Amino acid sequence: MIGIRWVALACASMWIGAAGSTAAAADVALAAASTIITEQALAPTHYTDWPRIRSRAKVDPHLDARVHDIVAHMSLAQKIGQMTQAEIKSITPDQVRQFQIGSVLNGGGSWPQGNKHAGVADWLALADRYYDASMAVDSPVKVPVIWGTDAVHGDSNVFGATLFPHNIGLGAAHDPELIRQIGAATARAVRATGVDWAFAPTLAVAQNARWGRTYESFSNDGALVRTYARAYVDGLQGDFGDANVMATAKHFIGDGATANGTDQGDARVSRLDMINVHGAGYYGALEAGVLSVMASYNSWDDVADGVDYGKMSGATALLTGALKGKMGFPGFVVSDWNAIGQLPGCSNASCPQAINAGIDMVMVPDDWRAFIANTLGQVQDGEIPITRIDDAVSRIVRAKLAMGAFGKRPSQRAGAGDVRLLQDRALARRAVRESLVLLKNNHDVLPLKRGSKLLVVGKSADSLANQVGGWSLTWQGTDNGNADFPNATSVLAGIRAADGAANVTYRATTDGVDLKTFDAIIAVIGETPYAETMGDIIPSATLRHSDRHPEDLAALKAVAASGKPVVTVFLSGRPLYVNDLLNLSDAFVAAWLPGTEGDGIADLLFADAAGGRAFNFTGTLAMPWPGLPCADAGGRDKAANWLFARGYGLHYPSHHELPPLPAHAGVGICASTSTLPIFHTLAQSPFALYLGAGSRGHDVHAIGSDLNSVIEWPAVHPVVSLQTVQVNTQQDAKSVTWHGPARFFAQSPQPANLMPLVAAHAALQFDVVIGTPARSPVTVYMGCGDGCVRPLDVTRMFAAYGAGKRHAVSLPLRCFVTSGVDLAHVDVPFGVLATAPFSAAFANVRIVAEGGNGASEACPETAGR
Ligand code: BGC
Ligand code: BGC
């Protein structure tokens, strides 16, 4: 097949000049010297317009005639049904028959019968029921329903399936043939469950690691994404044999280009950048004959040319003009989850604009019934031309014919129901090995000798959930435990197997452990799971990992003090600022989100790993690694931001010493932003929400991201309770009830200097709905370290609000500043202290510049405490 294994020469030579540090440049050169290359494979393009793409898919001359014939016999209702994709939680097989539905999907964390542990047989049975229903429609032409799923790193919603490294790790492997094999293995697994269609690959060319979907992107290099796209689609779709599924190139276009890396945000790039960088993956996917493309949530404002394309699901010039027209895409475009509802004038259930712009199938998970009725009306009124409907349906039917959906029930296809096809553990383990990037290896502490006495620490050593990340059984990857991944090996288990279980001690904390008795210490630390927007790092937060995960810094500090060699294995969905962690480690491995086969990590840590075979590191960064807490990670041409350029990666023996790095301890917040978000549905990083008993002290409880449970604190004799409610939008507020003296507050691990915001006339703002009015004083306060508090008495202000109505509160920052105490070191920017009886819901807490209405606005009284 593609068969070339090229590592990094082209990008290396591109990056040597740009490398910020000599260390990086030297090792890039090292990587280049040891590898073979096809320069051409990674060459950037210089198109001046959207290119015409020639697909290598087989052309069937009879296809168009069949499509035409089928569509000619369909009623308008059947056509609109074909254009509708509903979620399995919201549609029964009988409704698929009744409404002649074209497609169903299961969203992230949706399974047959809502059973997370549903087996292959359950998936297949439901697939058969949907298929049978679609073949029982009351129409002379029967068009099979197709089922789509987010199989984005293996068949990732299915219990027991092998989960491959997320795309960011695969990018570091620089191995298109590996990608093709992963695509093929994923297709076999998906097919075994009776599902026809994978919403993969993601072809985002992520430019900013703040984006919560960075790990779904292979690289910030369009050329690599293009080559991978071709290989991935080829693996998934193949020649549409029984073991193949339809692929989706997503999210078209510019999802990785948004300003500040904001998910679903606005791409502000030039047309040439969009064509040559962000478009690159689509050329590869189209070359391989991809049959579907998913339109992106983001918008695109081409500031240079003064063209604002708006949200992609309504962008005629791109969907119809560029993709279908200039590139010649013959397949169909599906919209993203309720994305049509984001277009001006549309709702989730109605959007003629999107269809007219070129959306062929609408992902309308819940409101499909109303959508069908509305769309019917819009065609009858002439708002949507029937020619557009016929084109959309023809594209869908053509794809279904091309993929061989007609004719066989899901359970009649080869491999259907075969549990073994869910797994390809050897391939995944190899992918893990290829994905790892060795960032530091001072005094060549790696590889370790087998049989060494090892201490393993860190929260991710024995956490399959942290290892697999988001889009794993559940949407966010949260609410999973080790038992949810029965066919998996944790990093710890891999180390035990390689080193001999008797030689390995695992401790969650090092309290009471005599560190001197070990030869070396391995710390497995990193990010915890997230998906999409939930993973965004907002512009004011740093990229410093230990700002969000101080427990990892603490774990490293505890072991580094021993003087024993410390090997850090860092699991993350993106490159992050980790200078402090690098300084505490002798060796440091970027392991990304490796998936279920954690033993691929041990394969590289030991000189002579399992089976007597020694492996070496081959992975190199496919995105640059930040060396500043506020580096705009992932962006190009910002050499000074980077500690390691794209292409960096050490090998054994590394003979390379990374010097101590600056730790930028004073940087707690990025940029002089005009808004500092504190809490908006979730606590906004670097802040977390807490409940505390009394007016001070460390007896506090961190409120996680769980939106469902009611929290009582302390567990015995609670003085305060909290639950998630709605004030403005769904689940956006915390309702707090005081049973005694207690506080509710937001805190960051590092203090922020708010004085620039004071100078910018900023105000602390939030929405409040009083539940039970207070009969004792209520204060809103800011905290600046132990014993340092700036309280404002809001008792009268809140009393004036009465119960049950939403009020917007604005407290000028100036009011918190009193003689002797400034706001240069604020760790608690928002706290509420009260006692029973009192309850109130708080939403959208933030500090806004120019929100203080000038110097004249009155301050509430400064409270005593
Ligand atoms: C995501 C898509 C995904 C879809 C279905 C959306 O929120 O952006 O990538 O395919 O949901 O789960
Ligand atoms: C679904 C995901 C989807 C997301 C979009 C979730 O409820 O499970 O599949 O991507 O909503 O917001």
Side-chain angles (χ1 to χ4, degrees):
M1 258 271 16
I2 302 175
I4 342 148
R5 189 173 156 83
W6 34 263
V7 182
L9 177 59
C11 59
S13 53
M14 255 157 29
W15 278 87
I16 284 174
S21 71
T22 44
D27 289 301
V28 165
L30 195 126
S34 59
T35 43
I36 330 153
I37 210 85
T38 35
E39 183 89 27
Q40 190 199 0
L42 279 179
T45 55
H46 299 284
Y47 299 124
T48 52
D49 198 355
W50 304 100
R52 185 90 195 162
I53 303 299
R54 260 215 290 152
S55 166
R56 61 154 210 89
K58 270 190 300 192
V59 181
D60 176 353
H62 307 298
L63 200 64
D64 280 330
R66 281 186 69 193
V67 171
H68 186 84
D69 190 46
I70 290 171
V71 176
H73 287 90
M74 287 167 82
S75 68
L76 179 59
Q78 188 176 15
K79 289 174 183 173
I80 291 167
Q82 278 302 306
M83 295 171 64
T84 305
Q85 183 182 56
E87 219 282 345
I88 61 166
K89 282 190 273 206
S90 312
I91 194 159
T92 63
D94 196 56
Q95 288 171 320
V96 163
R97 178 192 59 76
Q98 206 187 330
F99 291 88
Q100 316 187 68
I101 297 292
S103 179
V104 295
L105 87 149
N106 67 299
S110 169
W111 323 274
Q113 290 86 46
N115 174 14
K116 185 183 191 178
H117 297 159
V120 173
D122 302 313
W123 288 85
L124 191 56
L126 186 57
D128 269 348
R129 291 182 58 209
Y130 281 126
Y131 178 90
D132 292 346
S134 70
M135 298 317 269
V137 298
D138 181 16
S139 158
V141 281
K142 324 273 185 210
V143 182
V145 69
I146 48 173
W147 180 341
T149 191
D150 289 293
V152 295
H153 61 139
D155 199 0
S156 38
N157 278 287
V158 179
F159 181 66
T162 294
L163 302 187
F164 296 94
H166 269 295
N167 288 351
I168 189 168
L170 300 180
H174 296 277
D175 184 355
E177 174 57 17
L178 172 74
I179 300 312
R180 194 191 59 77
Q181 291 179 25
I182 287 175
T186 302
R188 286 193 292 273
V190 171
R191 258 301 186 225
T193 64
V195 173
D196 314 87
W197 177 11
F199 300 136
T202 296
L203 302 177
V205 189
Q207 298 299 312
N208 193 321
R210 292 184 180 280
W211 188 31
R213 305 191 81 157
T214 302
Y215 65 81
E216 297 186 57
S217 169
F218 297 117
S219 176
N220 74 331
D221 172 20
L224 177 59
V225 175
R226 178 175 185 162
T227 311
Y228 267 28
R230 201 187 300 133
Y232 209 129
V233 170
D234 199 31
L236 284 170
Q237 292 193 168
D239 289 328
F240 286 114
D242 266 344
N244 293 115
V245 297
M246 181 163 72
T248 304
K250 75 183 188 184
H251 311 82
F252 186 83
I253 188 176
D255 50 353
T258 61
N260 297 318
T262 302
D263 189 42
Q264 309 193 3
D266 193 24
R268 290 187 209 126
V269 298
S270 71
R271 183 163 174 277
L272 289 184
D273 237 20
M274 198 59 103
I275 291 175
N276 289 293
V277 178
H278 302 282
Y282 297 90
Y283 313 147
L286 263 62
E287 280 157 357
V290 74
L291 288 179
S292 75
V293 168
M294 190 184 291
S296 189
Y297 282 123
N298 65 273
S299 49
W300 175 21
D301 188 1
D302 175 358
V303 199
D305 288 345
V307 187
D308 187 350
Y309 294 91
K311 287 267 176 187
M312 290 304 103
S313 359
T316 315
L318 298 165
L319 301 178
T320 301
L323 180 64
K324 294 176 179 175
K326 290 187 171 162
M327 293 183 221
F329 173 57
F332 69 91
V333 179
V334 62
S335 55
D336 204 342
W337 182 282
N338 281 334
I340 58 167
Q342 296 189 12
L343 295 186
C346 291
S347 71
N348 291 347
S350 166
C351 195
Q353 294 92 314
I355 294 170
N356 286 338
I359 297 285
D360 303 304
M361 182 183 281
V362 178
M363 191 188 291
V364 50
D366 307 309
D367 298 336
W368 54 269
R369 247 186 137 118
F371 167 79
I372 290 173
N374 290 332
T375 309
L376 261 172
Q378 288 149 3
V379 179
Q380 279 151 358
D381 294 352
E383 222 180 319
I384 306 174
I386 185 69
T387 47
R388 176 72 269 274
I389 298 290
D390 285 342
D391 173 52
V393 178
S394 300
R395 287 170 175 272
I396 293 166
V397 170
R398 188 185 301 124
K400 288 182 175 184
L401 283 168
M403 68 189 276
F406 285 69
K408 275 190 201 165
R409 294 178 82 209
S411 60
Q412 288 167 344
R413 298 167 189 153
D418 187 343
V419 184
R420 291 166 305 179
L421 297 180
L422 284 191
Q423 296 181 50
D424 195 335
R425 303 188 62 176
L427 179 63
R429 183 170 175 171
R430 173 183 145 207
V432 174
R433 282 196 299 267
E434 292 192 26
S435 71
L436 304 180
V437 181
L438 182 59
L439 297 182
K440 177 176 183 179
N441 192 23
N442 283 15
H443 341 296
D444 284 80
V445 295
L446 286 179
L448 300 166
K449 261 182 50 204
R450 273 219 273 180
S452 310
K453 288 270 169 259
L454 297 177
L455 174 67
V456 178
V457 299
K459 64 168 192 260
S460 300
D462 193 25
S463 167
L464 293 168
N466 289 356
Q467 207 175 296
V468 297
W471 294 109
S472 300
L473 276 187
T474 63
W475 178 37
Q476 293 292 316
T478 48
D479 306 311
N480 289 327
N482 283 1
D484 289 313
F485 304 98
N487 309 313
T489 310
S490 68
V491 180
L492 176 65
I495 294 170
R496 282 192 170 133
D499 194 45
N503 299 316
V504 179
T505 304
Y506 168 61
R507 286 280 183 280
T509 89
T510 48
D511 296 349
V513 180
D514 182 3
L515 302 171
K516 294 273 179 293
T517 59
F518 298 96
D519 297 323
I521 297 157
I522 302 179
V524 189
I525 56 171
E527 290 193 299
T528 48
Y530 53 78
E532 301 191 47
T533 315
M534 308 294 184
D536 278 5
I537 299 174
I538 57 168
S540 54
T542 69
L543 293 171
R544 184 189 284 114
H545 175 72
S546 33
D547 281 356
R548 275 169 297 282
H549 293 284
E551 72 282 3
D552 288 342
L553 179 62
L556 280 193
K557 278 188 175 158
V559 293
S562 70
K564 294 288 178 181
V566 174
V567 175
T568 297
V569 175
F570 187 64
L571 306 186
S572 73
R574 50 190 149 199
L576 287 165
Y577 174 89
V578 291
N579 283 15
D580 47 353
L581 308 180
L582 280 162
N583 286 343
L584 293 166
S585 314
D586 298 283
F588 196 100
V589 178
W592 316 111
L593 299 171
T596 47
E597 309 313 312
D599 40 6
I601 293 173
D603 283 347
L604 294 198
L605 295 184
F606 293 89
D608 183 12
R613 205 170 143 203
F615 294 104
N616 204 336
F617 281 85
T618 54
T620 56
L621 294 179
M623 294 183 193
W625 193 284
L628 294 174
C630 299
D632 199 13
R636 294 160 301 138
D637 312 325
K638 298 211 175 105
N641 284 331
W642 311 130
L643 177 62
F644 305 120
R646 192 169 69 207
Y648 176 86
L650 302 172
H651 319 281
Y652 299 144
S654 41
H655 302 316
H656 175 270
E657 301 299 302
L658 188 71
L661 301 166
H664 305 102
V667 185
I669 268 184
C670 292
S672 48
T673 42
S674 51
T675 304
L676 179 62
I678 298 168
F679 163 68
H680 188 60
T681 306
L682 296 173
Q684 300 293 303
S685 173
F687 302 106
L689 294 179
Y690 297 88
L691 293 176
S695 64
R696 63 189 66 213
H698 297 292
D699 194 11
V700 300
H701 176 77
I703 298 155
S705 50
D706 173 9
L707 300 178
N708 299 319
S709 32
V710 177
I711 298 166
E712 306 263 8
W713 182 252
V716 183
H717 307 305
V719 290
V720 60
S721 63
L722 173 142
Q723 87 186 89
T724 300
V725 296
Q726 168 163 346
V727 162
N728 297 305
T729 56
Q730 271 177 332
Q731 305 186 312
D732 70 326
K734 299 297 179 197
S735 167
V736 184
T737 304
W738 276 260
H739 314 298
R743 58 204 199 279
F744 164 59
F745 61 101
Q747 187 168 23
S748 93
Q750 273 184 315
N753 179 5
L754 300 187
M755 291 314 281
L757 283 163
V758 175
H761 309 293
L764 171 65
Q765 301 188 334
F766 55 89
D767 295 329
V768 67
V769 179
I770 307 292
T772 309
R775 277 191 259 115
S776 346
V778 179
T779 60
V780 168
Y781 66 93
M782 292 199 175
C784 30
D786 267 348
C788 174
V789 207
R790 307 304 324 138
L792 290 180
D793 189 331
V794 295
T795 318
R796 276 203 263 167
M797 180 190 256
F798 280 12
Y801 292 164
K805 268 186 70 183
R806 176 167 55 104
H807 288 271
V809 178
S810 182
L811 302 170
L813 285 201
R814 159 178 67 74
C815 304
F816 292 92
V817 183
T818 53
S819 60
V821 186
D822 61 19
L823 296 180
H825 298 96
V826 173
D827 60 342
V828 176
F830 168 78
V832 184
L833 172 66
T835 190
F838 178 52
S839 73
F842 301 91
N844 197 13
V845 185
R846 74 265 180 213
I847 294 175
V848 186
E850 305 303 332
N853 299 339
S856 58
E857 196 189 4
C859 294
E861 302 138 53
T862 305
R865 248 194 128 177

